[in-house]
Amino acid sequence: MSVYIAHRLFAAHDRALAADLADRLAAQVGPDRVFLPFCDTDEEDLVAEVKGRRLFELDRERLGHLDAMVAILHGPSLDDGVCMEIGYAAASGVPVIVLTTDFQTYSLTEEGPRLEFPDPLLQAVAIRIVRVAKLGPPTLSSTPPQSRFPGFGARNAAQMSTALDATVDALLDLPDRAPHLVGSPAVIGAHVYVEASPYTAWGRDHLAKACVNAGHTVTVPQRFTASDPVAGALADLVAVCSAARLLADVSGPETPPGSALLIGAAAASGVRIAAFQSRPTFTHAHGREPNWRNLMVQYAAGAHLDNGDAVMSWLAG
């Protein structure tokens, strides 16, 4: 079993959590069968002319040779790089287990179906969601603590330990590989899937209108309007994998999670990808070129568009 652990890289506690999971899993399947990004790509000592692109290439190479993935996701703001990796794995038929300790559930309307994540795509592609939402039980001590905070910390640590053990058990009990969702090779003139951003002020259809005006057949998401959001999400995933092109608006504080997931699925399927972002923002990391999105999203997209003329040019190409 070869397992990829996808996790947010940009904070020490997330990296430590992923390392704890990797260590527990390695004890069961062997250390050479567990891939932990950042650790195993050795980013801090990696020498490359364009380091971000090289990291993307190394991670994508591993994504193409997997038996399973564990994705660690917390809270309503989901890491776009992790979501891209989930989409790549899911479209390739790799089973994905998602680990979360978020105690909230979500819905698209006040009385709508309860979902584990804000975008139903995450729930649709996960073969298993390991969710440990409650704190561990209070610890009993023979001596009164000097402060109430260590006890609260211990309860949270117990919660995480339970979640990690449950994730390892779920991996060891995986069924056969998931259905392979990669579509047929893209055909010139086939449809364009347009994924809007929920953060934009100009509405959800400005990119779709541009595609229609350019003479293309357009598919738009079903999951936000379907009575069954998870079924709609699966339909969206299949549509992207069989499209000729994906045009995704990646505007926002980070790429919206559904958009990032679909970019990963499109990348695995050989679909042409363009990322639209009218007002780019850049992130900076020591020794790495500035990125206008998470590097997994940035380098999966073949084109970065920032205005209507650029969109029309890409559609004509």
Side-chain angles (χ1 to χ4, degrees):
M1 172 182 286
S2 176
V3 183
Y4 187 110
I5 299 177
H7 64 97
R8 188 185 292 270
L9 297 177
F10 308 113
H13 61 274
D14 288 316
R15 297 192 296 271
L17 175 63
D20 193 350
L21 174 60
D23 190 52
R24 296 182 192 215
L25 181 60
Q28 298 293 324
V29 302
D32 293 339
R33 296 182 178 272
V34 181
F35 179 75
L36 185 64
F38 199 87
C39 172
D40 291 333
T41 50
D42 193 19
E43 173 166 349
E44 293 185 327
D45 294 324
L46 178 67
V47 177
E49 184 176 349
V50 185
K51 183 182 282 192
R53 177 175 286 279
R54 183 58 184 147
L55 289 165
F56 167 78
E57 292 168 348
L58 290 169
D59 287 350
R60 186 176 61 175
E61 181 180 348
R62 284 299 188 116
L63 287 169
H65 301 87
L66 293 181
D67 296 311
M69 172 182 283
V70 177
I72 302 175
L73 294 172
H74 295 292
S77 180
L78 305 176
D79 184 79
D80 46 358
V82 173
C83 291
M84 181 275 180
E85 292 167 327
I86 291 172
Y88 198 107
S92 303
V94 174
V96 178
I97 293 173
V98 177
L99 165 61
T100 181
T101 58
D102 187 359
F103 59 79
Q104 301 176 108
T105 54
Y106 304 87
S107 60
L108 301 179
T109 62
E110 188 173 358
E111 301 298 331
R114 299 293 177 89
L115 302 168
E116 306 289 345
F117 302 101
D119 192 305
L121 269 167
L122 278 300
Q123 188 159 330
V125 303
I127 197 168
R128 173 83 183 273
I129 297 172
V130 176
R131 192 164 187 261
V132 182
K134 294 183 178 181
L135 291 176
T139 55
L140 299 177
S141 175
S142 58
T143 59
Q146 297 297 313
S147 167
R148 63 187 182 278
F149 303 124
F152 184 70
R155 294 179 68 185
N156 282 279
Q159 179 195 36
M160 289 309 311
S161 182
T162 298
L164 294 177
D165 286 342
T167 302
V168 172
D169 290 342
L171 276 165
L172 298 177
D173 196 35
L174 273 177
D176 294 334
R177 287 171 66 91
H180 201 268
L181 295 173
V182 174
S184 302
V187 178
I188 300 299
H191 70 276
V192 180
Y193 185 101
V194 178
E195 174 77 9
S197 169
Y199 300 112
T200 55
W202 46 68
R204 301 189 62 84
D205 59 354
H206 75 113
L207 292 178
K209 286 181 178 178
C211 294
V212 171
N213 292 340
H216 291 270
T217 301
V218 172
T219 300
V220 295
Q222 298 184 33
R223 62 191 185 277
F224 301 115
T225 56
S227 57
D228 183 344
V230 173
L234 287 173
D236 290 347
L237 187 63
V238 171
V240 163
C241 291
S242 59
R245 304 177 189 231
L246 167 64
L247 177 55
D249 189 338
V250 300
S251 302
E254 57 187 6
T255 305
S259 301
L261 190 152
L262 292 177
I263 287 171
S269 305
V271 176
R272 290 183 63 185
I273 305 166
F276 179 85
Q277 188 186 24
S278 64
R279 193 174 176 184
T281 56
F282 291 86
T283 58
H284 305 268
H286 179 71
R288 190 198 298 174
E289 70 278 12
N291 293 133
W292 48 262
R293 288 281 79 169
N294 181 288
L295 67 89
M296 297 301 289
V297 172
Q298 174 167 323
Y299 291 115
H304 180 210
L305 315 175
D306 60 6
N307 59 64
D309 289 342
V311 171
M312 299 304 288
S313 177
W314 180 75
L315 290 170

